Amino acid sequence: MASRTALRSLSMRRALTSHSMVSSMSPSKSAAFSTMTKVMHQQSSSSGNSSNNGTQTHFGFRDVPENMKEALVREVFANVASKYDIMNDVMSGGVHRLWKDHFIRTLAPTPGTKLLDVAGGTGDIAMRFLDFCKETHGDNTAQVTVFDINPNMLQVGKERFEKTPYHSTSQVSFMEGNAEHLDHIPDNSMDAYTIAFGIRNCTHVDRVLKEAYRVLKPGGRFMCLEFSKVENPVVSKVYDVFSFDVIPTMGQIVANDRDSYQYLVESIRKFPPQREFVKMIKDAGFTVMGQGYEDLTFGVAAIHSGFKL
């Protein structure tokens, strides 16, 4: 894969191109681009100069104070919530739908399963889960709690479920909160925990994993679907070009928001590679089977799994 220095250089060139594009846009079209910059200035002002001396984390390829990342990520997904499915189609070439279908088949929920779907605001994983239980087992007792930090994303999910027989039933509920602090989820209360394309946006991934372990019942399963690292050098080179040249441009065309898509591409490169993430899952207390993950499409995405035993 291209070196991190090369990726940073490529990202900077794209950012300069984006800046020149924004200067020629109308005020309404440039609003999305400038939103995250405004959030950074507001957050910096409210936290004072001392934030510059605090612990840093990454927001894409940019280093920011930890106390700023949550607000920045929240703004990204507020911007893209209404275009979320289209966003994933752009970022995966539409293959994300097949990955998610396989993800739920791999989970293979049994009748009556209680699922906590974290960072699942738009409901696409929750819908697949309930459909699988109904179509495979004829089961209408499975339950899913859709949990997300972003109310815009949750609203998309609620609207999705309003068009289904699951609406206004006990099978689905929605909860807003931070994956690092599942304060309203009791210990040992869930049969399964899923998080799809969300964990890389969290500030402290280790805390997310520990909370997942806490809320699962003994024997419960943690499953994560996330963009990952491509090892094949030829595929990796093509993937880098697609990521840094095509995706932000498509984000501008489709969602009128290049900046959010630029962050999303960079966030993928900052996420730990497969084996390193497996170690983090083990460190949280989970038991993994085999190598602990399954690569999808040359490692563009991967499914990670662990059990609370």
Side-chain angles (χ1 to χ4, degrees):
M1 178 172 284
S3 69
R4 183 163 295 175
T5 300
L7 290 178
R8 284 179 181 270
S9 176
L10 183 58
S11 174
M12 290 175 66
R13 292 199 300 271
R14 297 298 163 249
L16 289 171
T17 302
S18 177
H19 179 76
S20 64
M21 290 174 62
V22 169
S23 65
S24 64
M25 291 178 189
S26 65
S28 61
K29 288 186 178 181
S30 62
F33 179 88
S34 62
T35 300
M36 285 188 286
T37 301
K38 291 178 181 178
V39 170
M40 291 186 71
H41 288 313
Q42 291 168 358
Q43 199 74 4
S44 295
S45 298
S46 64
S47 57
N49 294 331
S50 61
S51 66
N52 294 327
N53 300 321
T55 304
Q56 298 282 301
T57 189
H58 59 83
F59 178 72
F61 288 159
R62 182 186 308 172
D63 291 330
V64 298
E66 278 191 352
N67 63 353
M68 290 175 59
K69 182 169 180 176
E70 182 178 322
L72 292 168
V73 171
R74 184 188 298 268
E75 192 61 38
V76 167
F77 285 94
N79 290 342
V80 304
S82 64
K83 301 283 187 179
Y84 180 74
D85 285 336
I86 297 175
M87 175 191 77
N88 281 332
D89 283 334
V90 169
M91 295 184 72
S92 71
V95 181
H96 75 100
R97 299 173 187 272
L98 301 178
W99 293 340
K100 290 171 181 175
D101 290 343
H102 180 63
F103 183 64
I104 292 298
R105 288 195 300 269
T106 302
L107 176 62
T110 55
T113 294
K114 291 183 65 176
L115 170 67
L116 178 63
D117 182 37
V118 175
T122 61
D124 51 345
I125 293 296
M127 188 75 72
R128 283 173 168 83
F129 163 76
L130 292 177
D131 284 347
F132 180 94
C133 291
K134 181 178 179 180
E135 294 167 7
T136 304
H137 306 296
D139 174 47
N140 61 0
T141 63
Q143 296 180 331
V144 56
T145 299
V146 181
F147 188 97
D148 203 291
I149 197 171
N150 194 296
N152 303 79
M153 298 286 279
L154 287 168
Q155 184 59 37
V156 173
K158 292 174 183 177
E159 292 172 1
R160 182 193 298 263
F161 271 92
E162 284 175 359
K163 305 170 185 177
T164 74
Y166 306 118
H167 179 56
S168 297
T169 73
S170 61
Q171 287 195 265
V172 60
S173 60
F174 295 84
M175 183 180 294
E176 182 180 343
N178 190 323
E180 298 180 16
H181 310 288
L182 304 177
D183 298 333
H184 299 294
I185 308 295
D187 296 358
N188 307 309
S189 60
M190 295 290 170
D191 299 303
Y193 174 117
T194 54
I195 183 166
F197 303 120
I199 200 166
R200 75 181 189 280
N201 299 302
C202 298
T203 305
H204 304 99
V205 174
D206 57 336
R207 296 180 190 176
V208 175
L209 293 170
K210 288 178 181 177
E211 279 290 85
Y213 188 86
R214 178 184 66 80
V215 303
L216 282 169
K217 298 176 183 177
R221 188 175 191 181
F222 165 85
M223 284 190 61
C224 174
L225 173 61
E226 187 54 86
F227 288 109
S228 200
K229 182 177 181 181
V230 177
E231 297 287 353
N232 183 291
V234 176
V235 177
S236 177
K237 185 174 182 179
V238 173
Y239 181 45
D240 283 342
V241 171
F242 176 75
S243 296
F244 289 95
D245 283 1
V246 178
I247 290 177
T249 301
M250 290 298 296
Q252 182 61 49
I253 295 170
V254 174
N256 210 11
D257 185 1
R258 183 186 186 96
D259 207 39
S260 294
Y261 284 75
Q262 184 73 38
Y263 157 74
L264 291 166
V265 168
E266 293 175 1
S267 70
I268 294 169
R269 299 310 194 277
K270 297 293 289 186
F271 190 69
Q274 291 89 321
R275 292 177 182 83
E276 185 177 334
F277 188 45
V278 168
K279 183 179 184 304
M280 295 178 71
I281 293 171
K282 290 180 178 178
D283 289 345
F286 289 103
T287 299
V288 304
M289 303 299 177
Q291 67 178 1
Y293 68 92
E294 177 189 358
D295 278 339
L296 305 175
T297 316
F298 302 102
V300 171
I303 294 174
H304 285 77
S305 177
F307 293 88
K308 181 177 179 178
L309 299 179

